Amino acid sequence: MTEPFSAVEVIVRKRDRGELSDAEIDWVIDAYTRGVVADEQMSALAMAILLNGMDRREIVRWTDAMIASGERMDFSGLSRPTADKHSTGGVGDKITLPLAPLVAACGVAVPQLSGRGLGHTGGTLDKLESIPGWRASVSNQEMFAQLESVGCVVCAAGDELAPADKKLYALRDVTGTVEAIPLIASSIMSKKIAEGTGSLVLDVKVGTGAFMKNIEQARELAETMVALGTDAGVHTVALLTDMSTPLGHTAGHAIEVEESVEVLAGGGPADVVELTLALAREMLAGAGVTGVDPADKLADGSAMDKWKDMIRAQDGDPDADLPVARESHDVLAPSSGVLTRLDALAVGTAAWRLGAGRSRKEDPVQAAAGVRWHVRPGDSVTEGQPLMTLLTDEAERFDRALAVLDGAYNIAADASFEAGPIVLDRVGA
Amino acid sequence: MTEPFSAVEVIVRKRDRGELSDAEIDWVIDAYTRGVVADEQMSALAMAILLNGMDRREIVRWTDAMIASGERMDFSGLSRPTADKHSTGGVGDKITLPLAPLVAACGVAVPQLSGRGLGHTGGTLDKLESIPGWRASVSNQEMFAQLESVGCVVCAAGDELAPADKKLYALRDVTGTVEAIPLIASSIMSKKIAEGTGSLVLDVKVGTGAFMKNIEQARELAETMVALGTDAGVHTVALLTDMSTPLGHTAGHAIEVEESVEVLAGGGPADVVELTLALAREMLAGAGVTGVDPADKLADGSAMDKWKDMIRAQDGDPDADLPVARESHDVLAPSSGVLTRLDALAVGTAAWRLGAGRSRKEDPVQAAAGVRWHVRPGDSVTEGQPLMTLLTDEAERFDRALAVLDGAYNIAADASFEAGPIVLDRVGA
């Protein structure tokens, strides 16, 4: 009888479309972290929240309770301002890899705590782990030192940072409760606020390959998160960006690192470069840094230098050969014309089925698995040319990957097709 | 990769208001029984079913899948016809205790597999376990023999009877997913059909103290269950009965046994006697037995004899003293007049908070805890007289019980109050 509430009471209130009180929210998050509220109770509550929603006050309190479940970091002692970026997850979304060293090269420190793959979207840590020697785990002291010396760090969140979120995130992944705006917003913002960044740019993905399938949902999520960040004193801006087509030419781990290095070398796919620069400019503005054009830092090699320093600081070898898949299979163009559609969800799911993703959180990923597409919407194709190359260490995975790619693209014989913009909208405080 | 579906796919389909296919339902029930679908996944699915519903086909399939998860019993070899009763659960609902021996005394065998307390309603097994020595667990062979020798048995369903339901029932109790018509109907009917009774009378409770708060919901549940039973070849009838006021004068375990024994002795509260007789008459009619008036069997002591035989057959001592609560607290009438309302939910929740109920499925219950009310709606009260006595082994429980009883009753200074009927409606095939 020492608990002030019962889990069932709290679940039933939300199930019956009631509002949870501040005290109930504080209790349920704390009790879940302590194991008093069981996983099966929290998943029922998560489903009730997904279907019945939470109002703004409830979301703010839920976020605060998750922050309060662990430690808060503080980078105000650094000699540079801090800025971070978070993407809601997309296919081929390797943007963090070139972006963090690029922004560091412009004089802003980037303390990026990242996650692993969830569903069909790739995880930044999984990608970086394809680099021989690189480690995701960094102590708080090391993180501070690396931000001072290199200027950027991409690493796993420690166990002490929003532990309630860590537990809930893993639970949502296996209980069909990922796609709830209040839970997505509070999960992202609790980690980012606890992380202690001074400013934050959110890349909210919209389209088939994103959790938000339409721009209205994405805008609601963006507005919710910007409000949470602003209330907590973090300068927060969101870009709504297209995720109907996968980013760049690769979805996987090692192959996305390769593509990121191309961008840092001053080349790379135009869409990846465009989005990287747009996010870098927002991060610099948020950190109050003016008069620096990040495009120059890609051109002059200083972003690449930061990349190498960052990888080495975490025991990785930036010049080592990356793992190569043992098996590959080409998908050929069935006709000639112009590619008018390449579906992000299908490509992401194919990469997942080839071994780049996880079914359960304890599963390993294949570093070399994934999909490389040779053309993007707007490109001309000739019958019989390779459209995509599927990569895996296990040839028996091709069939199920090919099945999901059936109908995933269109080729028009005579099309005046124009690809849409990447950045669809911007949400400020 | 050997499972034909993933739990997340099935959860997401129901979450997004889709219909589950027959194959998905068969799989999810079987996989849950095998432990491949985890508790936290099933509770999310249960919440989605509660909020988004299931159609008739889904409910029939879900019920069949739960029956198929275990064994089916067969009492067709008995020398007597069989009839069973099931209540959807109410406050002070001890009716099974006098009813089973009463119907047995009329020549119909009663094979009653019962449950434990769920939410604020009491469980029949919990009540009987307050009798020293009595055991709820009975093998199938013993059950058959006891039905032949005594004519009635109230016991726990064996582990082999609808094991999927057993697991799901315990899960729903702690996850706020009890009040879903598809899940209630399939839970009750899977056990009753698998139990092999020839006829069945359903006591569907309506009112504040019931899971169904209004008569429309109750009728929908009754019609769903009558259709499921009739389809499965079981003669099934439902009575819709009032549960806005708790039954009799007691809610708890030992104190409800006492009250049941009063009824078997030819006395007891009028409402308990009336409902017991109404259900007994339906059970006799369903079993095809005519020309016997169950009221005679209460008056002549033959129902009491059956009760004692039934308790002894399961190692209980029907003449032993029952446990008595260590602490008691009287609630006094604040004014004089006529009691016009005594809220069943409040009384049930108070009994639960006093120790008669469970917060988690592994919790014990206090045999002596509960609430005894000294007056019923329609009775006159005098300022300062005890309205209710709260009973518990732990005095620190009084405060929270008293809190829920605040506003749970009305006393009118000058009222010509008439209590409504107990049986509100009847639903046949």
Side-chain angles (χ1 to χ4, degrees):
Chain A
M1 300 295 283
T2 56
E3 301 291 334
F5 301 99
S6 87
V8 172
E9 282 177 62
V10 175
I11 297 166
V12 165
R13 188 178 324 284
K14 183 46 68 183
R15 181 196 79 186
D16 295 345
R17 301 186 169 275
E19 285 179 29
L20 303 183
S21 71
D22 288 353
E24 284 172 328
I25 290 171
D26 292 351
W27 175 78
V28 81
I29 295 287
D30 177 59
Y32 180 57
T33 310
R34 289 184 286 124
V36 167
V37 169
D39 277 341
E40 59 267 28
Q41 295 175 319
M42 187 52 106
S43 67
L45 179 59
M47 182 60 79
I49 290 170
L50 188 149
L51 291 170
N52 290 342
M54 289 209 286
D55 69 15
R56 188 58 59 90
R57 177 195 58 76
E58 289 175 290
I59 299 172
V60 169
R61 192 73 180 201
W62 187 275
T63 306
D64 286 347
M66 294 214 292
I67 294 168
S69 74
E71 67 177 14
R72 287 187 75 150
M73 302 177 74
D74 180 5
F75 295 114
S76 59
L78 282 177
S79 61
R80 278 168 282 197
T82 51
D84 194 4
K85 184 264 321 188
H86 184 89
S87 157
T88 58
V91 177
D93 184 6
K94 69 277 300 172
I95 302 294
T96 291
L97 277 56
L99 179 65
L102 173 58
V103 172
C106 299
V108 171
V110 182
Q112 172 138 38
L113 299 177
S114 287
R116 298 189 185 273
L118 189 62
H120 67 276
T121 65
T124 297
L125 299 180
D126 294 323
K127 299 188 214 297
L128 285 167
E129 281 176 346
S130 68
I131 300 172
W134 189 86
R135 64 180 158 85
S137 179
V138 168
S139 73
N140 290 355
Q141 262 182 315
E142 283 178 297
M143 193 174 172
F144 197 94
Q146 185 172 331
L147 285 172
E148 199 61 83
S149 62
V150 179
C152 53
V153 58
V154 180
C155 63
D159 289 340
E160 291 308 308
L161 197 96
D165 175 66
K166 200 160 206 162
K167 213 175 152 180
L168 183 55
Y169 185 88
L171 181 71
R172 287 165 54 215
D173 193 26
V174 297
T175 56
T177 52
V178 169
E179 293 89 345
I181 286 176
L183 297 178
I184 295 173
S186 57
S187 172
I188 292 171
M189 296 308 294
S190 64
K191 280 177 293 199
K192 293 298 169 185
I193 294 167
E195 167 196 285
T197 186
S199 63
L200 177 64
V201 179
L202 296 160
D203 181 1
V204 179
K205 303 292 191 191
V206 193
T208 65
F211 291 116
M212 301 293 113
K213 303 300 181 195
N214 62 61
I215 197 152
E216 291 73 28
Q217 285 179 309
R219 189 173 286 116
E220 186 188 338
L221 176 61
E223 287 170 353
T224 302
M225 292 194 293
V226 168
L228 285 169
T230 305
D231 283 358
V234 180
H235 183 284
T236 309
V237 164
L239 298 185
L240 306 188
T241 73
D242 178 63
M243 188 32 69
S244 51
T245 300
L247 276 167
H249 282 283
T250 56
H253 305 301
I255 55 178
E256 291 200 45
V257 171
E258 271 173 33
E259 192 168 88
S260 302
V261 171
E262 288 170 20
V263 172
L264 289 160
D271 61 325
V272 177
V273 174
E274 180 185 342
L275 183 54
T276 301
L277 290 173
L279 291 164
R281 290 185 179 115
E282 291 287 355
M283 288 170 76
L284 296 177
V289 169
T290 53
V292 186
D293 183 358
D296 295 344
K297 304 293 179 184
L298 288 179
D300 70 10
S302 53
M304 178 69 96
D305 292 343
K306 284 285 177 201
W307 161 260
K308 292 189 175 188
D309 291 347
M310 175 178 86
I311 298 301
R312 286 194 192 103
Q314 287 167 249
D315 301 338
D317 178 355
D319 302 312
D321 289 336
L322 294 173
V324 174
R326 282 199 281 272
E327 311 287 342
S328 71
H329 177 94
D330 284 343
V331 176
L332 306 182
S335 60
S336 296
V338 171
L339 188 75
T340 55
R341 184 177 71 92
L342 178 63
D343 184 72
L345 176 60
V347 170
T349 305
W352 188 85
R353 290 183 176 183
L354 288 164
R358 298 180 167 80
S359 291
R360 298 182 74 135
K361 59 182 188 287
E362 57 278 8
D363 291 349
V365 298
Q366 291 184 19
V371 178
R372 187 189 297 278
W373 50 101
H374 307 289
V375 286
R376 292 186 50 81
D379 291 349
S380 294
V381 300
T382 307
E383 184 181 338
Q385 84 166 78
L387 285 181
M388 286 180 257
T389 303
L390 313 190
L391 302 164
T392 180
D393 292 334
E394 296 162 333
E396 66 270 23
R397 290 178 176 267
F398 286 132
D399 282 351
R400 291 194 70 227
L402 287 167
V404 79
L405 290 168
D406 190 40
Y409 54 88
N410 293 119
I411 297 171
D414 170 41
S416 55
F417 176 85
E418 206 169 322
I422 306 235
V423 177
L424 305 173
D425 204 354
R426 180 182 186 279
V427 176
Chain B
M1 306 286 280
T2 56
E3 301 290 334
F5 301 100
S6 85
V8 172
E9 283 176 63
V10 175
I11 296 166
V12 165
R13 186 177 326 282
K14 183 48 69 183
R15 181 196 81 187
D16 295 345
R17 301 186 169 275
E19 286 179 28
L20 303 184
S21 70
D22 289 352
E24 285 172 328
I25 290 170
D26 292 349
W27 175 79
V28 82
I29 295 288
D30 178 57
Y32 180 56
T33 310
R34 287 184 288 124
V36 167
V37 169
D39 277 342
E40 58 268 29
Q41 296 175 317
M42 187 51 104
S43 67
L45 179 59
M47 182 60 80
I49 289 170
L50 189 149
L51 291 170
N52 290 341
M54 290 210 285
D55 67 16
R56 188 58 60 90
R57 177 195 58 76
E58 290 175 291
I59 298 172
V60 169
R61 192 74 181 199
W62 187 275
T63 307
D64 286 347
M66 294 215 292
I67 295 169
S69 73
E71 66 177 14
R72 288 186 74 152
M73 300 176 76
D74 182 4
F75 294 115
S76 58
L78 282 178
S79 61
R80 277 169 283 199
T82 51
D84 195 5
K85 184 265 322 190
H86 185 88
S87 158
T88 59
V91 177
D93 183 6
K94 68 278 296 172
I95 302 295
T96 290
L97 277 55
L99 180 64
L102 173 60
V103 171
C106 298
V108 171
V110 183
Q112 173 137 38
L113 300 177
S114 287
R116 298 190 184 272
L118 191 62
H120 67 277
T121 66
T124 297
L125 300 181
D126 294 322
K127 298 188 214 299
L128 285 168
E129 280 175 345
S130 68
I131 301 173
W134 189 86
R135 67 181 156 83
S137 178
V138 169
S139 73
N140 289 356
Q141 262 182 312
E142 282 178 297
M143 191 173 176
F144 197 94
Q146 186 172 331
L147 285 172
E148 199 60 81
S149 61
V150 179
C152 53
V153 57
V154 180
C155 62
D159 289 340
E160 290 309 308
L161 196 99
D165 175 67
K166 196 159 208 166
K167 216 175 149 180
L168 183 54
Y169 185 90
L171 181 71
R172 286 165 54 214
D173 192 27
V174 297
T175 56
T177 52
V178 169
E179 294 88 345
I181 286 178
L183 297 178
I184 296 173
S186 58
S187 172
I188 293 171
M189 296 308 294
S190 65
K191 280 178 293 199
K192 293 298 169 185
I193 294 167
E195 166 194 287
T197 186
S199 63
L200 177 64
V201 178
L202 297 160
D203 181 1
V204 179
K205 302 292 192 192
V206 193
T208 65
F211 292 117
M212 301 294 112
K213 303 300 181 196
N214 61 60
I215 198 153
E216 291 73 26
Q217 286 179 310
R219 192 173 284 117
E220 185 189 339
L221 176 60
E223 286 170 354
T224 302
M225 293 195 292
V226 168
L228 285 169
T230 305
D231 283 357
V234 180
H235 183 284
T236 310
V237 164
L239 298 185
L240 307 188
T241 71
D242 178 63
M243 188 33 70
S244 51
T245 300
L247 275 167
H249 282 282
T250 57
H253 305 302
I255 54 178
E256 290 201 45
V257 171
E258 271 173 33
E259 191 167 271
S260 302
V261 170
E262 288 170 20
V263 171
L264 287 160
D271 61 326
V272 176
V273 174
E274 180 185 341
L275 184 53
T276 301
L277 289 175
L279 292 164
R281 290 184 179 117
E282 290 287 355
M283 288 170 77
L284 295 178
V289 169
T290 53
V292 186
D293 184 357
D296 296 342
K297 304 294 177 182
L298 289 179
D300 69 9
S302 53
M304 178 69 95
D305 292 343
K306 284 287 175 200
W307 161 261
K308 292 190 174 187
D309 291 347
M310 177 179 86
I311 298 302
R312 286 193 192 104
Q314 287 166 249
D315 300 340
D317 179 355
D319 302 312
D321 288 337
L322 295 173
V324 173
R326 283 198 281 272
E327 311 287 343
S328 71
H329 178 93
D330 284 341
V331 176
L332 307 182
S335 60
S336 296
V338 170
L339 187 74
T340 56
R341 186 176 69 93
L342 178 62
D343 184 70
L345 176 60
V347 170
T349 305
W352 187 85
R353 291 183 175 183
L354 288 164
R358 299 180 166 79
S359 291
R360 295 180 74 140
K361 59 181 185 287
E362 56 278 8
D363 290 350
V365 297
Q366 291 184 17
V371 179
R372 186 190 297 277
W373 48 102
H374 307 289
V375 286
R376 292 186 51 81
D379 291 349
S380 295
V381 300
T382 307
E383 185 180 338
Q385 84 166 78
L387 285 181
M388 285 178 260
T389 302
L390 313 190
L391 302 165
T392 180
D393 291 334
E394 296 163 336
E396 66 270 24
R397 290 177 176 266
F398 286 132
D399 282 352
R400 292 194 69 227
L402 286 167
V404 79
L405 289 170
D406 191 39
Y409 54 88
N410 293 120
I411 296 170
D414 169 40
S416 55
F417 176 84
E418 204 169 324
I422 306 231
V423 177
L424 306 172
D425 202 355
R426 180 180 186 278
V427 175

